[in-house]
Amino acid sequence: MVATHMDWNRRFACRTRHMQRSAVRELLKVAARPDIISFAGGLPAAELLPVEEVRQATDAVLMRHGGRALQYGESEGVAELRDWISRKESPPGAALSRDNVLIAHGAQQALDLLGRVLLDSGDTVLVENPTYLALLSAWRPWEVRFAPLPSDANGMHLDRLPHVDARHARAKLLYTIPNFQNPSGTTLSEPRRQEVVQRCRDNGIGIIEDDPYGELRYEGDAPPSLYALDAALVRGSPEMSNVLRVGTFSKTLAPGLRLGWVVAPRMVIDKLVQARQATDLHTGTLSQWIALELLEQGTLEQRLPAIRTEYRHRRDVMLAALAEHLGAWATWTRPAGGMFLLVTLNTCISTAELLPHALKAGIAFVPGDVFHTDGSGANTLRLNFSNTPPDRIAEGIRRLAEVVSSRSVG
Ligand SMILES: Cc1ncc(COP(=O)(O)O)c(C=O)c1O
């Protein structure tokens, strides 16, 4: 019998036409070459990851919990870890409980699950323009419409928010990264936070506050979270929150643990649990126990100051190198924390077309068009400063300036 060739292409579900490999993750494969200075990924510095602490914590967990640490676990996550997160996330005047927390495989899975339970085809989602690429990828298969809110150095523009009422009256959700945004590095100012929270409540628009970078602040005071501002409007009741808050240990402990969370009213957590029981049952038990051990040992508090100091230094080196080499060709954001800044070239060169030349010169960045939902941003690029040693940052920016200037003149 002759085996016939089966064409799986013809069997893919319609929704897969909205799926594609992430430009950023594909680029990371090339950028991982040792000869490339990569500003492309959103990676923590490998040398700051808590290798020895994780080794000791793993031993301690296996000694203490034995097989329990390797067993199936609750879909919501390890109860003691949810307790820890609920204490950390409780805003002033509100007491969250473990029932308000779901632990996921990173913030990314949290966002995916939220999309699964909240979005229908045709829904409108307000997003900062530009915004986090993998959120767009996660939610596009649900056939939602992303409505871009223009952003400046203080975050999304509020004078354009009236169009939330008019043009986008049926917007269901607003997704925001208020601290050291990905990709722009900007932070939503406190007055704008207050207004966003109030207006979204008034207009029945739920807020997804994604805050992976809030702990990485290098200067100034932290404004209150949208979650805290909304809680103040409902006397701290977690069950009445209009804000669902997403967090992660990826940028502070280690991304390889794949641990993130959602803080939400119980009815939302319950729906997320239903979705995740049909997806992956629960987050890896061993990872959760290791993270809890690290947190109880105080690893996070001990290590965060050194992480902040090093990343602040790397940011400053990048800003200084940009001023020295790229001032004639571009402008850029000045982040007060986080891992990224966004460069806008003065000329209308496409940074996607610039990238192959940059790779030839031994540097990588992410072309900014992929973060924009309105077709703009072709002359922007995202630079990560946390994952490259300072001397390589300075050299990389010098090379970037050479590539930009040669393409601009030619
Ligand atoms: C804005 C934003 N949200 C979510 C994530 C996903 O983080 P995690 O590693 O926790 O899945 C990232 C990672 O880069 C991010 O920048």
Side-chain angles (χ1 to χ4, degrees), residues 25 41-43 104-111 131-135 175-177 179-183 210-213 246-251 254-256 258-261 339-340 382:
R25 297 203 69 80
L43 282 61
H105 280 116
Q108 187 61 35
Q109 190 192 26
L111 294 170
T131 191
Y132 176 47
L133 173 62
L135 179 280
Y175 167 78
T176 175
I177 309 150
N179 294 314
F180 326 124
Q181 203 246 17
N182 181 359
D210 185 11
D211 189 17
Y213 303 104
V246 176
T248 179
F249 290 121
S250 286
K251 314 296 174 173
R258 304 307 301 129
L259 288 177
W261 62 86
M339 295 186 165
F340 306 109
R382 188 191 74 177

Side-chain angles (χ1 to χ4, degrees), residues 190-204:
E190 186 166 344
R192 287 190 188 182
R193 286 177 191 229
Q194 273 163 351
E195 215 171 330
V196 169
V197 164
Q198 187 65 58
R199 287 214 210 166
C200 282
R201 231 176 214 287
D202 294 347
N203 289 282

Side-chain angles (χ1 to χ4, degrees), residues 173-236:
L173 293 178
L174 180 146
Y175 167 78
T176 175
I177 309 150
N179 294 314
F180 326 124
Q181 203 246 17
N182 181 359
S184 69
T186 56
T187 293
L188 187 62
S189 69
E190 186 166 344
R192 287 190 188 182
R193 286 177 191 229
Q194 273 163 351
E195 215 171 330
V196 169
V197 164
Q198 187 65 58
R199 287 214 210 166
C200 282
R201 231 176 214 287
D202 294 347
N203 289 282
I205 300 166
I207 297 177
I208 310 293
E209 176 177 39
D210 185 11
D211 189 17
Y213 303 104
E215 302 262 25
L216 300 178
R217 171 170 283 279
Y218 314 135
E219 60 196 38
D221 296 327
S225 67
L226 305 190
Y227 189 85
L229 290 170
D230 187 75
L233 299 177
V234 290
R235 294 204 203 90

Side-chain angles (χ1 to χ4, degrees), residues 315-347:
R315 176 205 62 175
D316 291 345
V317 170
M318 184 172 275
L319 288 171
L322 285 168
E324 185 180 342
H325 300 294
L326 217 67
W329 309 103
T331 54
W332 49 88
T333 56
R334 195 187 177 289
M339 295 186 165
F340 306 109
L341 55 81
L342 193 74
V343 174
T344 304
L345 301 181
N346 296 342
T347 47

